[in-house]
Amino acid sequence: TLQVLSNDSNDFYVAATTKTLTNGTASFNNLRMFNARPDAWAMVVDQDSVYPSGVSSTFTVSAAGASRLIVLLPGEAYAPGQPDQSPATFNCALAGAACGKLTGQPPSIGIAGVSYSPTVFATDGFYNTVSSNVAVTLTPSDAYVAGQTQTLAAGTTAFTFSLRTANAAAAFTPSGGTLTGYQSHAFDLQAAGPARLVVTAPGESVLPGSPSGKSGSPSAQEAGTSYDFTATLTDAFNNPVPAPATIALRAATLDPNDTPDPDTGSSIV
């Protein structure tokens, strides 16, 4: 019994194929190789270990037509040549973030305000890079950071973003031309270091990542009625952060008749 193998582990449609010699000959038909490369070869192995293996001459496997856009994040490794299957041993339609990426390598953590550089690839249906010069827009999940548009060069382009909003499931989504864009893996965008106090009145709340740091409008209050303010320690982008140590606060108003004024009875811990 003979088995045909290739020099790429993703060509498993090849590895699954076995034949028995008939009159000294076996033909392996309709073999499929998925990883585009200039040095492909096929090896035929005698599973009965009677005859030594035979190896073909090298040949080129070319990428198919461009059909998809994938996003590679810092910390991830590109893995071309993955075929979609049914059932979903690997199926990009069901797990789009995994497309064209080596498993077991999560993306790097990002920090608000620090440059983060995703790379977009135009690929065929097996995530091989296809030379394309289509204009690609990459849109972050951050509502306070605009998307960017760049033209692919040889099928790829690197972007640089400075994101604002801390988010344990931040992501990027590519789009361009008629290509199907697959959202990136989610990554953890963490707040930067403590930088400011955001003070909210009744009716307001902290809005991380926003320029003002607040949403809502202060509620009207009657003279002589207690009025509660909240002070939240944030980074420079209004993402709440833990206090590195107990911080004593002093609150004052513009009303000369307020009591107590100043109020020093609160702290952030």
Side-chain angles (χ1 to χ4, degrees):
T1 301
L2 304 181
Q3 181 183 32
V4 62
L5 307 173
S6 82
N7 59 338
D8 188 273
S9 60
N10 287 324
D11 292 332
F12 59 85
Y13 275 35
V14 173
T17 301
T18 58
K19 293 280 187 176
T20 301
L21 285 172
T22 301
N23 296 324
T25 301
S27 296
F28 294 87
N29 302 316
N30 300 316
L31 301 180
R32 299 180 67 190
M33 294 187 171
F34 302 105
N35 193 355
R37 57 199 188 275
D39 55 354
W41 49 255
M43 174 188 291
V44 176
V45 178
D46 179 7
Q47 294 186 314
D48 301 318
S49 301
V50 175
Y51 301 104
S53 301
V55 181
S56 74
S57 302
T58 59
F59 54 93
T60 297
V61 178
S62 300
S67 62
R68 304 179 180 187
L69 292 171
I70 64 171
V71 183
L72 198 70
L73 299 177
E76 293 185 312
Y78 180 44
Q82 300 178 77
D84 289 344
Q85 303 168 70
S86 181
T89 304
F90 179 88
N91 193 319
C92 191
L94 301 180
C99 302
K101 298 152 196 177
L102 196 64
T103 58
Q105 291 192 317
S108 300
I109 292 171
I111 303 295
V114 177
S115 293
Y116 200 76
S117 299
T119 301
V120 173
F121 291 83
T123 76
D124 62 14
F126 310 108
Y127 313 107
N128 298 298
T129 302
V130 178
S131 185
S132 170
N133 61 353
V134 69
V136 172
T137 298
L138 191 61
T139 304
S141 56
D142 194 327
Y144 304 104
V145 178
Q148 300 177 20
T149 300
Q150 296 180 184
T151 300
L152 297 177
T156 185
T157 186
F159 292 81
T160 300
F161 283 86
S162 180
L163 302 178
R164 296 179 57 93
T165 308
N167 184 353
F172 293 95
T173 302
S175 60
T178 60
L179 305 182
T180 300
Y182 288 96
Q183 182 176 290
S184 74
H185 267 128
F187 63 97
D188 187 6
L189 184 73
Q190 298 183 351
R196 63 176 61 162
L197 292 170
V198 174
V199 180
T200 51
E204 294 181 313
S205 59
V206 175
L207 188 58
S210 66
S212 68
K214 307 176 189 179
S215 64
S217 300
S219 303
Q221 300 292 314
E222 293 183 1
T225 302
S226 296
Y227 199 63
D228 297 328
F229 290 88
T230 301
T232 302
L233 183 65
T234 74
D235 64 11
F237 309 98
N238 302 311
N239 298 297
V241 295
T246 299
I247 302 173
L249 300 179
R250 177 180 183 273
T253 74
L254 299 178
D255 189 334
N257 297 315
D258 282 343
T259 58
D261 194 3
D263 182 353
T264 59
S266 297
S267 60
I268 294 177
V269 294

